[in-house]
Amino acid sequence: MKLARYVGDGRIEIREEPAPACPVGGLLVKTLASGLCSGELMAWYMDQKIPHVLGHEVAGKVIESQDDRFPVGSQVFAHHHAPCMNCEMCRKRLYVHCSQWKKTKLVPGGMAEVFAVSSDNLSDTHVVNDLRPTDAALIEPLACVAKSIRLGQPEGKSYAVIGLGAMGLMHMLALPTGAIGYETSEARRRWAASLGFQAKVPSEATPADVIFVCPGSPQAVNQAIQIANPGGTIVLFAPMPPGGPAPIDLNPAYFKDLSFVNSYSCGPNDTLQAIEWIRAGKLKAEHVVSDFTGIDDLPRAYLAMRAGDILKAMVVFE
């Protein structure tokens, strides 16, 4: 089968490798659609994972099942990490810190013609026969947005989104009407405007109570500090490269009594929210995916997305 491996230096290769076997108690799934995550473009992050198979925004059709809840022929979304639901971290709803969550993964990954889902992963796997595969593949990134918004607690407040890439757009789609997005790229501002959103350059920023910072950059965090209202909340949606130092001016953050919230990945509760949103029509793949492509063209799309020339790529397998 064909799959996409990250090989280092910001490059991926399409390779032919054997398909996995169905794990005991798990599933074997034929991939229908797999999105390219912006996190998979970060060389400092990906270089730690070599030779990593891309793909965790994925939906597919079950071709072998050892669990009656997921019959052969059903379409499923499978989260690449899934918690045990029984440990202390899970009881606190800190699912991403569950030891099982950290150990689980799709084999070899979602950017492959076939992938395996272990029995441990089934605590966050769902039958989604009613969704288009291209929409179902976006459940995982939208679930990350659901967690971000939940932690930001934006109800009854004014809110801003810094960075209008695919993840910023998902925030705008999921937030109540009235959010303002800020983006330096004219092309991305035009895309956001085509969806009916307010999209401005950072110099036009106005104060807000809750600011979602989508790029992992000090400049974006500093902008959030500048525009936050006293007592405001800044949600950090993406990591910064390790090792610092990050030139962030925390002086005004102190005197404005600002709160910082980190939002890393998501849990099963957020997955359910994302599925509900997609079923309600809040997100369709065409809202955030600029390039639907085959796996053989993924290396080109990967470089283009990494360079900022396209918004988001998704591989469609049939």
XYZ file of all heavy atoms in Angstrom, residues 146-245:
717
model
N -12.740 22.821 19.697
C -13.780 22.736 20.726
C -13.173 22.851 22.117
O -13.717 23.545 22.997
C -14.548 21.418 20.589
N -12.037 22.192 22.333
C -11.362 22.301 23.629
C -10.891 23.731 23.867
O -11.057 24.291 24.959
C -10.190 21.335 23.698
C -9.391 21.440 24.997
C -8.226 20.467 25.027
C -7.397 20.637 26.298
N -6.259 19.676 26.349
N -10.292 24.342 22.852
C -9.789 25.705 22.953
C -10.901 26.669 23.355
O -10.747 27.485 24.277
C -9.175 26.117 21.607
O -8.829 27.477 21.578
N -12.037 26.561 22.693
C -13.160 27.452 22.988
C -13.735 27.153 24.376
O -14.082 28.074 25.129
C -14.229 27.343 21.891
C -13.675 27.917 20.570
C -15.514 28.051 22.300
C -14.588 27.753 19.391
N -13.818 25.896 24.726
C -14.320 25.534 26.059
C -13.435 26.135 27.152
O -13.930 26.696 28.141
C -14.370 24.005 26.177
C -14.709 23.489 27.564
C -14.994 21.994 27.537
N -13.918 21.207 26.963
C -12.826 20.829 27.628
N -12.657 21.206 28.889
N -11.905 20.077 27.049
N -12.135 26.061 26.983
C -11.219 26.606 27.983
C -11.249 28.131 28.006
O -11.048 28.747 29.049
C -9.801 26.113 27.719
C -9.561 24.613 27.888
C -8.134 24.250 27.524
C -9.867 24.165 29.309
N -11.510 28.736 26.843
C -11.584 30.193 26.780
C -12.848 30.767 27.368
O -12.890 31.939 27.731
N -13.886 29.935 27.485
C -15.173 30.348 28.059
C -15.627 31.707 27.507
O -15.743 32.688 28.252
C -15.064 30.405 29.584
C -14.727 29.074 30.207
C -14.622 29.135 31.721
O -14.373 30.185 32.301
N -14.794 28.009 32.373
N -15.908 31.756 26.198
C -16.194 33.059 25.585
C -17.631 33.557 25.700
O -17.946 34.633 25.220
C -15.859 32.791 24.119
C -16.231 31.348 23.926
C -15.879 30.668 25.231
N -18.521 32.809 26.351
C -19.927 33.195 26.354
C -20.115 34.604 26.926
O -19.621 34.930 28.008
C -20.764 32.195 27.163
C -20.861 30.813 26.532
C -19.661 29.939 26.837
O -18.760 30.411 27.555
O -19.623 28.801 26.361
N -20.847 35.418 26.186
C -21.172 36.752 26.646
C -20.026 37.727 26.642
O -20.094 38.780 27.277
N -18.974 37.403 25.924
C -17.795 38.255 25.886
C -17.467 38.611 24.445
O -18.045 38.085 23.500
C -16.606 37.551 26.551
C -16.862 37.142 28.005
C -15.703 36.340 28.565
C -15.989 35.903 29.998
N -14.900 35.082 30.561
N -16.504 39.511 24.288
C -15.995 39.814 22.942
C -14.758 38.963 22.706
O -14.003 38.676 23.631
C -15.646 41.302 22.831
O -14.688 41.672 23.809
N -14.556 38.543 21.452
C -13.481 37.603 21.192
C -12.811 37.908 19.861
O -13.400 38.467 18.931
C -13.976 36.154 21.215
C -15.459 36.009 21.031
C -15.999 35.917 19.756
C -16.318 35.995 22.122
C -17.373 35.808 19.581
C -17.687 35.889 21.951
C -18.211 35.794 20.691
O -19.562 35.704 20.511
N -11.527 37.533 19.823
C -10.709 37.732 18.635
C -9.934 36.453 18.355
O -9.656 35.668 19.268
C -9.740 38.901 18.837
N -9.588 36.261 17.088
C -8.779 35.127 16.660
C -7.572 35.683 15.919
O -7.721 36.428 14.944
C -9.576 34.170 15.747
C -8.675 33.043 15.244
C -10.790 33.611 16.493
N -6.385 35.343 16.378
C -5.160 35.768 15.715
C -4.651 34.617 14.868
O -4.372 33.522 15.369
C -4.106 36.213 16.740
C -4.617 37.430 17.512
C -2.780 36.532 16.052
C -3.684 37.923 18.601
N -4.540 34.869 13.569
C -4.119 33.840 12.620
C -5.310 33.187 11.955
O -6.106 32.520 12.629
N -5.461 33.393 10.653
C -6.616 32.860 9.924
C -6.202 31.785 8.930
O -6.653 31.742 7.797
C -7.371 33.997 9.234
C -8.030 34.995 10.191
C -8.677 36.130 9.429
C -9.051 34.296 11.096
N -5.315 30.886 9.394
C -5.113 29.645 8.682
C -6.315 28.744 8.916
O -7.369 29.176 9.417
N -6.183 27.472 8.585
C -7.323 26.559 8.712
C -7.822 26.487 10.148
O -9.040 26.484 10.395
C -6.932 25.173 8.208
N -6.913 26.444 11.119
C -7.351 26.325 12.505
C -7.997 27.620 13.002
O -8.971 27.591 13.762
C -6.175 25.931 13.400
C -5.518 24.613 13.015
S -6.679 23.229 12.797
C -7.392 23.100 14.419
N -7.471 28.758 12.580
C -8.112 30.023 12.926
C -9.505 30.125 12.347
O -10.442 30.594 13.005
N -9.655 29.680 11.099
C -10.977 29.691 10.473
C -11.948 28.774 11.209
O -13.134 29.094 11.362
C -10.864 29.267 9.009
C -10.183 30.258 8.069
C -9.983 29.627 6.701
C -10.985 31.555 7.951
N -11.462 27.628 11.687
C -12.339 26.737 12.450
C -12.798 27.403 13.734
O -13.951 27.231 14.163
C -11.629 25.416 12.747
C -11.475 24.514 11.540
S -10.903 22.874 12.040
C -10.211 22.294 10.483
N -11.909 28.160 14.382
C -12.342 28.923 15.551
C -13.456 29.900 15.170
O -14.468 30.009 15.870
C -11.157 29.700 16.142
C -10.288 28.918 17.070
N -9.282 28.085 16.627
C -10.272 28.845 18.426
C -8.685 27.538 17.670
N -9.267 27.978 18.770
N -13.252 30.620 14.076
C -14.255 31.601 13.652
C -15.591 30.928 13.345
O -16.661 31.465 13.665
C -13.748 32.359 12.429
C -12.487 33.176 12.643
S -12.738 34.665 13.635
C -13.522 35.746 12.431
N -15.549 29.750 12.736
C -16.765 29.030 12.387
C -17.508 28.540 13.630
O -18.740 28.468 13.634
C -16.425 27.841 11.483
C -16.038 28.189 10.039
C -15.253 27.059 9.405
C -17.282 28.515 9.210
N -16.750 28.189 14.680
C -17.368 27.609 15.870
C -17.778 28.654 16.901
O -18.687 28.406 17.706
C -16.411 26.605 16.513
N -17.131 29.823 16.898
C -17.455 30.864 17.863
C -18.794 31.526 17.532
O -19.236 31.503 16.389
C -16.357 31.930 17.868
C -15.069 31.582 18.618
C -13.959 32.553 18.236
C -15.297 31.597 20.128
N -19.430 32.128 18.540
C -20.643 32.911 18.250
C -20.332 34.049 17.283
O -19.184 34.487 17.148
C -21.044 33.449 19.625
C -20.394 32.528 20.613
C -19.124 32.078 19.974
N -21.351 34.542 16.631
C -21.199 35.646 15.682
C -20.574 36.859 16.376
O -20.908 37.179 17.511
C -22.571 36.044 15.114
O -23.152 34.899 14.500
C -22.430 37.159 14.092
N -19.662 37.515 15.661
C -19.062 38.735 16.200
C -17.579 38.653 16.428
O -16.935 39.672 16.711
N -16.991 37.465 16.323
C -15.541 37.345 16.471
C -14.843 38.105 15.342
O -15.342 38.164 14.216
C -15.127 35.881 16.444
N -13.700 38.685 15.660
C -12.892 39.384 14.657
C -11.583 38.621 14.494
O -10.931 38.268 15.482
C -12.616 40.837 15.070
C -13.928 41.588 15.261
C -11.749 41.539 14.035
C -13.755 43.011 15.772
N -11.210 38.362 13.248
C -9.977 37.657 12.960
C -8.902 38.607 12.465
O -9.194 39.577 11.759
N -7.658 38.317 12.831
C -6.525 39.139 12.419
C -5.499 38.264 11.702
O -5.149 37.174 12.174
C -5.893 39.821 13.631
C -6.874 40.736 14.331
C -7.505 40.345 15.508
C -7.200 41.979 13.801
C -8.428 41.168 16.136
C -8.118 42.817 14.411
C -8.732 42.400 15.579
O -9.652 43.216 16.190
N -5.034 38.758 10.556
C -4.154 37.963 9.700
C -3.298 38.892 8.848
O -3.803 39.881 8.306
C -5.005 37.036 8.821
C -4.275 36.287 7.743
C -3.203 35.372 8.298
O -3.521 34.503 9.134
O -2.039 35.534 7.871
N -2.016 38.562 8.729
C -1.122 39.372 7.908
C -1.242 39.042 6.422
O -0.963 39.885 5.578
C 0.339 39.173 8.344
O 0.678 37.775 8.243
C 0.545 39.636 9.791
N -1.669 37.819 6.096
C -1.769 37.400 4.695
C -3.054 37.925 4.060
O -4.162 37.642 4.534
C -1.737 35.878 4.585
O -2.175 35.437 3.324
N -2.904 38.651 2.969
C -4.079 39.179 2.274
C -4.942 38.054 1.724
O -6.178 38.116 1.760
C -3.648 40.110 1.140
C -4.808 40.730 0.384
C -4.375 41.634 -0.755
O -3.156 41.865 -0.907
O -5.261 42.107 -1.497
N -4.302 36.999 1.203
C -5.055 35.881 0.639
C -5.913 35.215 1.705
O -7.069 34.840 1.459
C -4.105 34.866 0.009
N -5.367 35.060 2.901
C -6.143 34.438 3.974
C -7.263 35.354 4.461
O -8.337 34.887 4.837
C -5.218 34.031 5.119
C -4.312 32.859 4.745
C -3.495 32.379 5.916
N -2.719 31.193 5.559
C -2.005 30.476 6.418
N -1.967 30.838 7.698
N -1.333 29.418 6.007
N -7.007 36.656 4.471
C -8.082 37.591 4.840
C -9.221 37.514 3.830
O -10.406 37.544 4.200
C -7.544 39.023 4.935
C -6.609 39.272 6.108
C -6.445 40.768 6.392
N -5.997 41.547 5.244
C -4.733 41.724 4.901
N -3.768 41.156 5.616
N -4.411 42.472 3.847
N -8.873 37.408 2.549
C -9.909 37.288 1.514
C -10.709 36.001 1.710
O -11.936 35.993 1.547
C -9.286 37.331 0.121
C -8.820 38.706 -0.330
C -8.656 38.752 -1.845
N -7.768 37.717 -2.332
C -6.454 37.869 -2.529
N -5.876 39.047 -2.273
N -5.711 36.881 -2.970
N -10.019 34.910 2.025
C -10.709 33.623 2.229
C -11.691 33.758 3.387
O -12.848 33.345 3.291
C -9.692 32.514 2.512
C -10.289 31.138 2.584
C -11.111 30.656 3.562
C -10.128 30.070 1.642
N -11.464 29.351 3.308
C -10.870 28.966 2.136
C -9.413 29.930 0.449
C -10.919 27.748 1.467
C -9.468 28.708 -0.211
C -10.212 27.639 0.286
N -11.222 34.341 4.490
C -12.096 34.512 5.657
C -13.287 35.405 5.321
O -14.426 35.124 5.724
C -11.301 35.099 6.820
N -13.031 36.472 4.582
C -14.121 37.374 4.200
C -15.145 36.667 3.323
O -16.349 36.940 3.409
C -13.550 38.595 3.485
N -14.684 35.729 2.484
C -15.609 34.988 1.622
C -16.545 34.096 2.431
O -17.618 33.714 1.951
C -14.827 34.136 0.612
O -14.245 32.993 1.231
N -16.156 33.790 3.668
C -17.015 33.008 4.563
C -17.903 33.901 5.424
O -18.655 33.413 6.271
C -16.155 32.115 5.462
C -15.319 31.038 4.751
C -14.441 30.303 5.760
C -16.205 30.048 4.000
N -17.795 35.221 5.205
C -18.638 36.163 5.925
C -18.050 36.688 7.219
O -18.778 37.297 8.021
N -16.735 36.500 7.437
C -16.116 36.917 8.685
C -15.448 38.284 8.563
O -15.025 38.686 7.476
C -15.067 35.888 9.132
C -15.623 34.530 9.392
C -15.021 33.398 8.850
C -16.751 34.359 10.183
C -15.533 32.142 9.084
C -17.275 33.110 10.422
C -16.661 31.999 9.874
N -15.330 38.967 9.697
C -14.509 40.161 9.771
C -13.044 39.725 9.835
O -12.656 39.020 10.766
C -14.850 40.985 11.015
C -16.252 41.543 11.057
C -16.434 42.446 12.268
O -15.867 43.537 12.335
N -17.218 41.983 13.233
N -12.272 40.150 8.869
C -10.862 39.764 8.794
C -10.031 41.020 8.577
O -10.170 41.679 7.540
C -10.644 38.771 7.665
N -9.183 41.354 9.547
C -8.438 42.599 9.514
C -6.945 42.356 9.660
O -6.512 41.291 10.109
C -8.916 43.515 10.649
C -10.401 43.857 10.604
C -10.779 44.785 11.742
C -12.249 45.173 11.698
N -12.600 46.110 12.795
N -6.166 43.376 9.297
C -4.728 43.335 9.545
C -4.502 43.633 11.022
O -5.328 44.290 11.674
C -3.970 44.346 8.661
C -4.088 43.972 7.198
C -4.469 45.761 8.901
N -3.379 43.158 11.596
C -3.152 43.369 13.029
C -3.172 44.829 13.467
O -3.602 45.136 14.590
C -1.769 42.738 13.249
C -1.683 41.663 12.201
C -2.392 42.240 11.012
N -2.756 45.733 12.599
C -2.730 47.147 12.973
C -4.131 47.723 13.202
O -4.276 48.790 13.793
C -2.005 47.972 11.909
O -2.678 47.882 10.660
N -5.161 47.028 12.736
C -6.544 47.479 12.914
C -7.218 46.846 14.132
O -8.425 46.979 14.325
C -7.368 47.152 11.666
C -6.892 47.831 10.397
C -7.652 47.370 9.162
O -8.233 46.261 9.185
O -7.662 48.134 8.182
N -6.432 46.180 14.979
C -7.004 45.411 16.074
C -7.692 46.298 17.098
O -7.253 47.413 17.391
C -5.915 44.590 16.761
N -8.782 45.777 17.644
C -9.531 46.451 18.701
C -9.580 45.535 19.931
O -9.388 44.317 19.817
C -10.956 46.779 18.232
O -11.584 45.569 17.751
C -10.931 47.800 17.112
N -9.849 46.087 21.109
C -9.812 45.284 22.336
C -10.829 44.142 22.327
O -11.904 44.237 21.738
C -10.128 46.300 23.437
C -9.723 47.619 22.863
C -10.047 47.525 21.397
N -10.455 43.054 23.030
C -11.343 41.897 23.154
C -11.130 41.250 24.512
O -10.074 41.402 25.134
C -11.074 40.896 22.035
N -12.136 40.508 24.959
C -12.058 39.836 26.260
C -11.327 38.500 26.181
O -10.630 38.109 27.120
C -13.466 39.592 26.812
C -14.208 40.882 27.098
O -13.577 41.840 27.575
O -15.425 40.935 26.813
N -11.549 37.770 25.091
C -10.930 36.454 24.919
C -10.244 36.442 23.561
O -10.892 36.738 22.539
C -11.962 35.307 24.997
C -11.274 33.959 24.886
C -12.766 35.391 26.292
N -8.963 36.106 23.545
C -8.198 36.087 22.301
C -7.619 34.690 22.107
O -6.939 34.162 22.993
C -7.054 37.130 22.305
C -7.618 38.543 22.497
C -6.292 37.068 21.002
C -7.469 39.051 23.902
N -7.914 34.094 20.959
C -7.386 32.773 20.600
C -6.175 32.980 19.690
O -6.303 33.532 18.594
C -8.468 31.942 19.905
C -9.671 31.705 20.767
C -10.747 32.586 20.745
C -9.730 30.623 21.635
C -11.855 32.390 21.558
C -10.829 30.422 22.454
C -11.894 31.305 22.420
N -5.013 32.545 20.152
C -3.765 32.743 19.412
C -3.432 31.439 18.698
O -3.024 30.457 19.324
C -2.618 33.166 20.348
C -1.347 33.411 19.549
C -3.006 34.403 21.138
N -3.611 31.421 17.381
C -3.415 30.181 16.623
C -1.977 29.944 16.164
O -1.521 28.809 16.168
C -4.383 30.140 15.441
S -6.111 30.027 15.982
N -1.211 30.964 15.760
C 0.188 30.702 15.409
C 1.044 30.543 16.670
O 0.817 31.219 17.681
C 0.615 31.962 14.634
C -0.640 32.728 14.378
C -1.598 32.347 15.457
N 2.029 29.663 16.605
C 2.973 29.516 17.696
C 4.120 30.491 17.527
O 5.252 30.097 17.240
N 3.847 31.779 17.714
C 4.874 32.803 17.511
C 4.784 33.866 18.595
O 3.679 34.231 19.027
C 4.717 33.463 16.139
O 3.628 34.364 16.120
N 5.928 34.396 19.040
C 5.902 35.472 20.032
C 5.154 36.701 19.540
O 4.481 37.375 20.325
C 7.387 35.785 20.255
C 8.120 34.567 19.814
C 7.297 33.984 18.711
N 5.265 37.003 18.242
C 4.574 38.182 17.700
C 3.063 38.072 17.912
O 2.398 39.058 18.270
C 4.888 38.336 16.208
C 6.351 38.629 15.903
C 7.209 37.383 15.825
O 6.730 36.272 16.062
N 8.480 37.566 15.505
N 2.522 36.872 17.688
C 1.083 36.686 17.852
C 0.676 36.823 19.315
O -0.361 37.415 19.639
C 0.670 35.323 17.306
N 1.494 36.287 20.233
C 1.184 36.393 21.658
C 1.262 37.848 22.107
O 0.403 38.328 22.860
C 2.132 35.511 22.491
C 1.856 35.688 23.983
C 1.963 34.046 22.109
N 2.282 38.555 21.642
C 2.403 39.967 22.019
C 1.222 40.790 21.507
O 0.747 41.706 22.188
C 3.719 40.543 21.494
C 4.906 40.142 22.347
O 4.790 40.031 23.565
N 6.050 39.911 21.731
N 0.738 40.456 20.308
C -0.445 41.162 19.808
C -1.640 40.900 20.711
O -2.412 41.811 21.027
C -0.778 40.747 18.377
C -1.980 41.527 17.820
C -2.559 40.944 16.543
O -1.997 40.012 15.964
N -3.673 41.492 16.097
N -1.787 39.648 21.143
C -2.908 39.306 22.021
C -2.826 40.083 23.331
O -3.847 40.577 23.839
C -2.920 37.804 22.286
N -1.630 40.199 23.887
C -1.455 40.955 25.135
C -1.851 42.413 24.929
O -2.517 43.028 25.778
C -0.002 40.841 25.625
C 0.299 39.402 26.065
C 0.274 41.816 26.766
C 1.772 39.138 26.366
N -1.481 42.955 23.788
C -1.773 44.365 23.505
C -3.267 44.642 23.418
O -3.753 45.674 23.895
C -1.091 44.789 22.204
C 0.423 44.874 22.284
C 1.065 45.065 20.922
O 0.365 45.327 19.934
N 2.372 44.924 20.846
N -4.037 43.729 22.815
C -5.444 44.015 22.560
C -6.378 43.461 23.623
O -7.582 43.729 23.598
C -5.894 43.514 21.171
C -5.921 41.979 21.118
C -5.014 44.092 20.081
C -6.526 41.427 19.843
N -5.848 42.689 24.576
C -6.709 42.091 25.598
C -7.246 43.153 26.548
O -6.511 44.022 27.015
C -5.942 41.036 26.375
N -8.519 43.060 26.830
C -9.114 43.916 27.845
C -8.613 43.517 29.231
O -8.228 42.356 29.455
C -10.639 43.798 27.817
C -11.274 44.617 26.716
O -10.800 45.701 26.398
N -12.351 44.104 26.132
N -8.600 44.427 30.202
C -8.244 44.051 31.570
C -9.088 42.865 32.047
O -10.303 42.825 31.832
C -8.552 45.318 32.372
C -8.357 46.426 31.382
C -8.864 45.876 30.069
N -8.403 41.901 32.671
C -9.088 40.695 33.118
C -9.353 39.696 32.006
O -10.055 38.707 32.228
N -8.798 39.947 30.843
C -9.049 39.086 29.683
C -8.313 37.759 29.738
O -7.455 37.521 30.596
N -8.662 36.891 28.791
C -8.068 35.553 28.690
C -7.417 35.389 27.329
O -8.026 35.712 26.296
C -9.134 34.461 28.875
O -9.722 34.598 30.172
C -8.532 33.067 28.751
N -6.202 34.876 27.335
C -5.484 34.572 26.099
C -5.307 33.060 26.024
O -4.722 32.444 26.923
C -4.117 35.276 26.064
C -4.308 36.802 26.014
C -3.285 34.797 24.872
C -3.022 37.584 26.157
N -5.858 32.459 24.971
C -5.772 31.016 24.777
C -4.658 30.729 23.773
O -4.710 31.183 22.622
C -7.109 30.430 24.268
C -6.987 28.915 24.089
C -8.241 30.772 25.233
N -3.649 29.985 24.220
C -2.513 29.624 23.363
C -2.826 28.278 22.718
O -2.790 27.232 23.380
C -1.228 29.562 24.186
C -0.867 30.853 24.940
C 0.413 30.658 25.763
C -0.704 32.017 23.965
N -3.136 28.318 21.435
C -3.604 27.125 20.731
C -2.461 26.295 20.163
O -2.625 25.098 19.925
C -4.551 27.546 19.598
C -5.204 26.402 18.885
C -6.202 25.666 19.500
C -4.812 26.053 17.600
C -6.814 24.593 18.849
C -5.409 24.983 16.937
C -6.410 24.255 17.566
N -1.311 26.901 19.918
C -0.195 26.202 19.284
C 1.067 26.347 20.132
O 1.244 27.344 20.835
C 0.063 26.757 17.885
N 1.968 25.366 20.062
C 3.222 25.470 20.822
C 4.236 26.340 20.102
O 4.135 26.577 18.899
C 3.708 24.024 20.869
C 3.234 23.444 19.563
C 1.897 24.100 19.303
N 5.222 26.801 20.851
C 6.380 27.470 20.271
C 7.556 26.507 20.292
O 7.577 25.555 21.079
C 6.718 28.733 21.058
C 5.672 29.817 20.920
S 6.250 31.374 21.593
C 4.718 32.015 22.223
N 8.561 26.722 19.437
C 9.738 25.840 19.455
C 10.364 25.813 20.838
O 10.376 26.836 21.542
C 10.672 26.482 18.428
C 9.774 27.252 17.520
C 8.656 27.752 18.389
N 10.860 24.646 21.267
C 11.453 24.543 22.604
C 12.804 25.253 22.667
O 13.419 25.558 21.646
C 11.620 23.033 22.785
C 11.777 22.510 21.391
C 10.908 23.376 20.531
N 13.253 25.507 23.870
C 14.591 26.046 24.046
C 14.653 27.542 24.218
O 15.669 28.070 24.667
N 13.573 28.265 23.799
C 13.488 29.722 23.974
C 14.806 30.430 23.691
O 15.697 29.867 23.054
N 14.980 31.661 24.174
C 13.926 32.398 24.865
C 12.916 32.997 23.888
O 13.275 33.342 22.775
C 14.702 33.509 25.583
C 15.874 33.760 24.693
C 16.243 32.412 24.098
